[in-house]
């Protein structure tokens, strides 16, 4: 049900789309003449007609138009539809921004759902006391971790143009004169022209440092200001309701994997990690200098007019003497003097000079000195917002900007220790030991204060690089602060020894030590990554066995009795299908949380979600709602994949909206409030049992196709653009681990990306229909599932993600891709199964949700998909046509290079249209 605000914003969306389309048509005419404009409009009109009428003759007409296209007109047609989709995305983002502004313009009785204001009101109206608010704020903790796999398919150059067009579109909402509207329209036309004349495709894979730069772009342009604003707004809203001012802890932080994630990426070295942190530091220090410059402009108070604290006066005198610098030319403008001294000290910090700030806390202390002094002569109920903002910036970002996680594969640690232990004559083949033998040996090594290695030892290149990585972690913590690197993540964790191996390597460089009196020093969290179905099932036992080790418990004690555990959505979904993966993830969280509670250990779950539905994607707030509520109180981490960064964090309004929804969701969930009272009792034993049965049926169905049909991999390779994706150059990591051709070693990203491009989206929905249908056939209890959908956030999010995947999938278009399968028997057998399962899954989802059509519960998203389809469809049909020719073309010929370029253009366009890559 749309509100008046939503309806007004929707009307404006259609207006913006038409407005941008009109300008695009002018650019197309200028760049390609009447021929290009007519061809694009004809195809666009036919595909829209096809979606409206389902007329097969129109379908044939579209295919004929596309088959007749030849280079260079064909390339321009591809680019026209891709540009059209990018402009649609910009219009849609402006729609979301406008909708938020409309809500804010209403009186206080009309509050946007999911806003911070709604969250604080919910707490107040449910009689949450100030004491309870303090406890709640102490529990509130959300860390979002940006990753580079895959990076955004769109080049950053293009994203900057998108941002400028978005700013102009927003400005047009406020323009009130004919002249200003004319200037804005002309400027947008200039930007679209530049967009058209710029290269969409990267000529080579980005380096890791280029990926670092791409990730930092969002910190520089948006997050550095949005995060302090959100904290500040929460403080102000609480003050308005409770008439008490809290200093809200810095509960919302961002981390990064870019430059630290070396799992399967040979381009990430120890030196890369250190250089990444240096780049972080350079940016954050330059941002602080800009912020303090702005404060210097603002705080012009004279000591002849106001009284300052003795502490501030002494601090100024001390700094002037130590730095041999006055700070400011007017002796009475004391705040400007202090800020000038702070700028001088920051300059020294950049140079690693001994007179620079030795820690971010020293800078925070200086800022609080100023705030305390200002409180003597400034109204207490309206503190200086800019100063509050700068304090919060330093508290959130420190001198490291974003905490860098380091990740590597468990097999790499095992191989390293096998070589080290053989060289020091402890065991000739560590990797061949039984698990109990490994654990006993590793504990003995950890308890022994003597090192295994020295600086004089020589090892293979891989082992030396591993040792250098741990030395770099220690150097980084010493140089940039403890928060620079806090966690070491272990991919494919399958046993306790996988974690102990990392502690041994940490011990060898001085990050971990057991002293003679039995006490422990540990400067690094060690986190398992559970990412296959079997690992998730074994996870509770692994954690219990780990917590039974006294030495490991001592490690946790000095780390605040906190154990971080990462859950992999991508590989578990690839391994067992989306429905089974989500259920196993949910169960593992509950079971492990219960075990940890028995040991008095807090758990922080790190959800390795992808941007796309097939890898656990979806709205940030929905991801939080679908977790067991008991797991939210110790803090949550979630990955923000490269391909969602621009859609969430390119524009300030959109970034703020996403983060406030997540904050509100966490606050109300931790406090135990929900609009549906029955949600507090979910899942019931009956609901859990039902979900378990559905999952078992779905897993059997999924694996019967993926792992047991001998023709499946042939179908996957030939009926999707999998093999063409590697040339897109969207990330520094290889598509497969160590160049392997095994399905198990194919990364989840190209797995999902390829299915998405072909409009089959199989990983995001396949086998769910069979699982649900078999349960209903066995029990006849459809009403139970309908009740679960209404009252259990996890089940509701699961079903709604199925709806979204089924809506984006299009089997008519997909059927064109299947024609590229060389064996007609394989093609028919597998695609028939996909079609049958699609129909069944759609039927089950509609029955459970009690809807007539998919996405009826989200009319805005449903309308968005409807409007996009006529723009995406031509790109799919052109892509099939091109790939068919490409696979027949002579190797390294001009024709092959030309066709490959055009295929990559279609991949970019389809990714923009479906709003995700992998």
């Amino acid at each position: 049900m749309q509100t008046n605000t939503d309806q007004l914003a929707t009307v404006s969306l259609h207006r913006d789309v038409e407005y941008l389309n009109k300008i695009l048509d002018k650019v197309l005419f200028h760049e390609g003449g009447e021929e290009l404009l007519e061809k694009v409009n004809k195809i666009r009109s036919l595909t829209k007609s096809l979606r409206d009428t389902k007329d097969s003759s129109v379908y044939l007409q579209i295919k004929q138009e596309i088959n007749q296209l030849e280079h260079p007109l064909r390339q321009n047609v591809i680019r026209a539809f891709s540009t059209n989709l990018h402009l649609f995305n910009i219009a849609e983002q402006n729609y979301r921004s406008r909708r938020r502004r409309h809500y804010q313009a209403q009186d206080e009785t009309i509050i946007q759902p999911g806003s911070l204001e709604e969250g604080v009101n919910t707490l107040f109206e449910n009689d949450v006391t100030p004491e309870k608010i303090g406890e709640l704020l102490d529990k509130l903790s959300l860390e979002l971790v940006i990753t580079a796999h895959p990076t955004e398919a769109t080049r950053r150059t293009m994203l900057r143009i998108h941002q400028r067009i978005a700013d102009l579109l927003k400005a047009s909402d406020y323009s009130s004169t004919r002249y200003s509207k004319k200037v804005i329209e002309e400027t947008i036309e200039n930007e679209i022209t530049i967009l058209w004349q710029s290269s969409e495709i990267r000529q080579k894979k980005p380096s890791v440092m280029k990926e670092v730069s791409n990730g930092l772009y969002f910190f520089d342009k948006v997050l550095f200001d949005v995060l302090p604003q959100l904290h500040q707004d929460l403080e102000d809203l609480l003050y308005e309701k409770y008439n008490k001012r809290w200093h809200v802890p810095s509960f919302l932080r961002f981390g990064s994997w870019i430059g630290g994630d070396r799992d399967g990426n040979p381009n990430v070295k120890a030196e890369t990690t250190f250089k990444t942190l240096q780049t972080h530091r350079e940016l954050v220090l330059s941002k602080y200098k800009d912020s303090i410059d702005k404060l210097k402009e603002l705080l012009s108070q004279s000591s002849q007019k106001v009284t300052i604290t003795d502490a501030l006066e002494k601090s100024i005198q001390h700094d002037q003497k130590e730095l041999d610098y006055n700070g400011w030319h007017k002796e009475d403008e004391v705040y400007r003097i202090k800020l000038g001294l702070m700028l001088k000290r920051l300059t020294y910090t950049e140079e690693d000079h001994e007179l620079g700030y030795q820690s971010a806390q020293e800078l925070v202390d200086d800022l609080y000195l100023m705030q305390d002094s200002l409180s003597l002569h400034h109204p207490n109920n309206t503190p200086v917002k800019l100063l509050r903002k700068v304090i919060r910036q330093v508290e959130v970002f420190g001198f490291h900007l974003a905490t860098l996680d380091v990740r590597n594969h468990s097999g790499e640690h095992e191989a390293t220790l096998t070589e080290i232990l053989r060289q020091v004559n402890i065991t000739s083949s560590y990797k061949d030991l039984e698990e109990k033998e490994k654990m006993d040996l590793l504990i003995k090594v950890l308890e022994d204060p003597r090192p295994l290695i020295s600086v004089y030892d020589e090892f293979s290149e891989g082992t030396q690089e591993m040792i250098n990585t741990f030395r770099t972690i220690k150097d980084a913590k010493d140089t940039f602060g403890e928060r620079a690197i806090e966690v070491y993540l272990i991919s494919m964790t399958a046993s306790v020894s996988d974690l102990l191996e990392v502690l041994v390597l940490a011990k060898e460089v001085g990050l971990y030590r057991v002293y003679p009196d039995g006490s422990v020093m540990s400067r690094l969290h060690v986190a398992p990554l559970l990412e296959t179905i079997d690992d998730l099932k074994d996870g509770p036992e692994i954690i219990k066995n780990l917590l039974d080790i006294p030495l490991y418990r001592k490690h946790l004690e000095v780390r605040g009795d906190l154990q971080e555990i990462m859950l992999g959505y991508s590989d578990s979904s690839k391994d067992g299908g989306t429905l089974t993966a989500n259920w196993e993830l949910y169960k593992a969280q509950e079971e492990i949380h219960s075990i940890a509670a028995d040991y008095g250990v807090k758990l922080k779950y790190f959800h390795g979600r992808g941007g796309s539905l097939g890898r656990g994607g979806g709205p940030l707030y929905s991801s939080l709602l679908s977790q067991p509520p008991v797991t939210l109180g110790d803090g949550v981490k979630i990955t923000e994949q490269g391909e969602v960064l621009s859609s969430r964090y390119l524009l300030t309004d959109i970034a703020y909206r996403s983060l406030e929804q997540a904050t509100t969701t966490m606050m109300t969930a931790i406090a135990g409030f929900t609009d549906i009272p029955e949600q507090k009792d979910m899942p019931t034993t009956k609901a859990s049992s039902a979900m378990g049965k559905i999952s078992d049926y779905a897993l059997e169905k999924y694996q019967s196709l993926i792992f047991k049909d001998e023709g499946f991999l042939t179908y996957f390779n030939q009926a999707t653009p999998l093999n063409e994706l590697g040339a897109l150059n969207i990330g520094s990591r290889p598509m497969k681990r160590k160049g392997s051709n095994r399905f198990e070693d194919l990364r989840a990203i190209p797995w999902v990306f390829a299915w998405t491009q072909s409009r089959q989206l199989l990983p995001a929905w396949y086998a769910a229909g069979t699982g649900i249908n078999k349960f209903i056939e066995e029990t006849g209890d459809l009403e139970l599932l309908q009740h679960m959908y209404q009252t259990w956030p996890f089940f509701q999010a699961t079903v709604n993600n199925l709806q979204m995947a089924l809506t984006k999938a299009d089997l008519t278009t997909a059927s064109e891709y299947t024609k590229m399968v060389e064996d007609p028997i394989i093609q028919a057998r597998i695609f028939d199964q996909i079609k049958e399962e699609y129909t069944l899954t759609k039927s089950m989802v509609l029955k459970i949700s009690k809807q007539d059509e998919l996405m009826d519960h989200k009319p805005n998203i449903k309308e968005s998909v409807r409007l996009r389809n006529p723009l995406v469809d031509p790109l799919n049909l052109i892509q099939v046509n091109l790939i068919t020719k490409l696979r027949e073309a002579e190797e390294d010929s001009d024709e092959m290079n030309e066709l490959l370029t055009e295929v990559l253009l279609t991949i970019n366009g389809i990714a923009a249209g479906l709003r995700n890559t992998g």
Side-chain angles (χ1 to χ4, degrees), residues 718-738:
Q718 295 178 5
T720 72
L722 174 70
N723 296 314
E724 289 73 27
L725 294 178
L728 191 54
N729 294 326
I730 63 171
S732 66
R733 291 206 317 178
M735 285 172 54
K736 300 175 182 179
R737 287 185 172 94
K738 296 187 176 180

Side-chain angles (χ1 to χ4, degrees), residues 753-768:
F753 198 167
W755 287 114
T756 303
Q757 285 281 312
S758 66
R759 301 297 290 278
Q760 298 176 72
L761 276 81
L762 180 142
W765 60 267
Y766 189 79

Side-chain angles (χ1 to χ4, degrees), residues 150-317:
T151 50
E152 166 69 62
T154 309
R155 291 179 61 218
R156 191 169 77 177
T157 296
M158 313 301 273
L159 289 176
R160 284 174 172 160
I161 300 173
H162 295 175
Q163 187 174 29
R164 294 198 294 268
I165 295 172
D167 290 341
L168 288 163
L169 202 56
K170 181 178 178 180
S172 70
D173 286 344
Y174 296 99
S175 65
S176 56
T177 67
R178 288 193 301 275
Y179 178 75
S180 62
K181 289 180 182 295
K182 179 174 177 288
V183 170
I184 287 172
E185 183 172 337
E186 288 175 351
T187 310
I188 291 176
E189 184 176 345
N190 288 336
E191 292 289 356
I192 295 175
T193 301
I194 295 168
L195 186 69
W196 180 268
Q197 294 172 354
S198 301
S199 176
E200 305 96 323
I201 299 173
R202 296 181 177 93
Q203 299 304 309
K204 59 183 180 180
K205 279 185 174 291
S207 66
V208 177
M209 292 313 299
K210 181 63 176 176
E211 289 179 331
V212 170
S213 174
N214 290 342
L216 293 184
Y217 178 79
F218 298 96
F219 286 89
D220 186 16
K221 300 301 180 184
V222 175
L223 296 174
F224 195 73
D225 293 317
V226 165
L227 264 63
Q229 186 65 52
L230 194 134
H231 284 87
Q232 195 162 293
D233 287 350
L234 180 55
E235 285 184 354
D236 291 344
L237 287 164
L238 287 168
Y239 178 74
E240 287 174 16
K241 280 294 177 186
Y242 287 90
N243 197 31
K244 178 181 177 180
R245 189 166 290 284
W246 281 273
H247 180 71
V248 172
S250 298
F251 66 89
L252 181 59
R253 300 180 188 273
F254 271 73
S256 177
W257 273 13
I258 311 175
D261 180 16
R262 57 229 328 116
D263 178 21
N265 191 344
N267 301 306
V268 179
K269 305 288 188 183
E271 61 185 310
T272 316
T273 297
F274 199 83
K275 190 174 180 182
T276 296
L277 289 167
Q278 285 178 317
T279 307
H280 283 201
R281 185 186 182 94
E282 287 167 7
L283 175 60
V284 79
L285 290 177
S286 71
K287 298 294 284 185
Y288 290 152
K289 291 176 79 172
D290 290 344
S291 294
I292 290 173
D293 259 332
K294 290 173 185 174
L295 269 176
K296 199 172 173 185
E297 289 181 23
L298 177 69
L299 300 179
S300 59
Q301 292 95 331
S302 167
S303 58
Q304 298 174 10
K305 303 285 187 180
V306 299
T307 301
I308 66 168
T309 61
D310 291 341
L312 178 61
E313 189 169 354
K314 288 177 182 176
S315 170
I316 290 172
Q317 291 170 358

Side-chain angles (χ1 to χ4, degrees), residues 65-81:
E65 288 288 337
I66 285 170
N67 289 338
Q68 290 173 351
L69 288 173
E70 293 184 1
H71 186 82
L73 177 61
R74 181 176 58 212
Q75 185 170 130
N76 282 338
V77 168
I78 295 168
R79 298 184 67 220
F81 278 103

